[in-house]
Amino acid sequence: MNETGAQHWVAHRDHYDRMYAKFQAALLSAAAIRPGEQVLDVGCGYGTTTLAAAEVARPGTAVGIDVSPTMLDLARARAVGVPNVTFVEADAQDHRFAPSSFDVALSRFGLMFFTDPVAALANLRRATRPGGRLAFVAWRSLARQPWLCVPGTAAARIVPVPGMETRDGPGMFSFADPDRVRSLLTAAGWTGVELASVTEKLPVGDSPEDAVAFLASGTLGRRLLDGSDEQTQARVLAEVRAALAPHTRGDGVRLGASVWLGQARA
Ligand SMILES: C[S@@+](CC[C@H](N)C(=O)[O-])C[C@H]1O[C@@H](n2cnc3c(N)ncnc32)[C@H](O)[C@@H]1O
């Protein structure tokens, strides 16, 4: 993710945290953090999961690592006065962690962006004590994400939709193939790899307008709209809004999303 992407995340942090609340709950439950443990949050972004982990780990600590200064500025501001949280600006793929210094490594959508995933996952395994745990959530395939396919299909009636699925390279869907994820983790020395699917209806927005504004400023939305003139952009947004309307109830727009909840042992 570049810094434009990071600015979108920071601007929509409450929106993302609402959307990912159930996935985060599943992640923390799988991580089974105990008081006194040392936790590493990989690709921690603006620190929501790090702060939640620190709360459970007390008197242990949580360390968040991320490459994005924009994300970390917000994470650090949110952690003022929280004594057991620290943030590190570094690439988790090759950062020199103290060996075996964590009981748990976890990640909410932060493991899919490594240029060399086996090297990165091996680095995280070395940072985790023998017998320590890895827990993460990562997106399943695009076809299993109505929250993206419904608006994407509507937009595709007007503009070409850019490909999003880079299943082998770094990117949002690089953990979609469960066999690939198992083999990456195993090659990196993790054992007892388990992947379970978790499917939820995501609260994409309080209203179709809110959902359209959110989606339009995200990575896919920006890629879709950037090459078009204003009139075309307005048509795309109207088409997407109409496609979201049938998925709107009293509590807002809800569309399906599916992730892998992964677990492994160092
Ligand atoms: C999709 S965001 C998720 C952020 C956060 N975990 C959350 O759920 O709010 C992915 C994050 O991973 C970070 N990231 C990507 N590659 C990284 C790397 N090699 N080392 C550390 N962080 C990385 C990005 O900067 C971004 O903040």
Side-chain angles (χ1 to χ4, degrees), residues 1 9 43-46 66-68 71 90-92 108-110 113-114:
M1 180 188 301
W9 274 72
C44 65
Y46 51 81
D66 204 288
V67 284
S68 165
M71 291 284 215
D91 187 334
R108 188 179 87 167
F109 301 120
F113 306 98
F114 297 121

Side-chain angles (χ1 to χ4, degrees), residues 158-159 224-237:
I158 298 171
V159 288
L224 258 166
L225 295 169
D226 270 359
S228 306
D229 58 48
E230 255 178 53
Q231 210 182 354
T232 309
Q233 292 190 4
R235 282 175 54 220
V236 171
L237 297 182

Side-chain angles (χ1 to χ4, degrees), residues 140-233:
R140 297 176 73 202
S141 65
L142 178 59
R144 293 179 188 275
Q145 315 299 341
W147 70 287
L148 292 174
C149 292
V150 168
T153 304
R157 290 195 275 273
I158 298 171
V159 288
V161 172
M164 277 196 85
E165 249 178 332
T166 48
R167 280 177 160 235
D168 294 330
M172 181 174 175
F173 294 106
S174 70
F175 271 37
D177 175 355
D179 291 337
R180 177 168 191 267
V181 178
R182 280 188 205 99
S183 82
L184 292 175
L185 286 164
T186 306
W190 292 94
T191 61
V193 177
E194 284 176 32
L195 295 180
S197 62
V198 181
T199 301
E200 294 289 349
K201 287 261 184 187
L202 284 196
V204 186
D206 293 337
S207 62
E209 292 73 22
D210 183 39
V212 167
F214 169 71
L215 291 165
S217 66
T219 305
L220 176 61
R222 286 195 313 276
R223 271 203 253 158
L224 258 166
L225 295 169
D226 270 359
S228 306
D229 58 48
E230 255 178 53
Q231 210 182 354
T232 309
Q233 292 190 4

Side-chain angles (χ1 to χ4, degrees), residues 39-42 44 50 61-65 84-88 97 102:
V39 182
L40 174 66
D41 181 10
V42 185
C44 65
T50 329
T61 65
V63 176
I65 183 166
N84 65 334
V85 173
T86 49
F87 291 101
V88 178
F97 298 103
F102 296 101

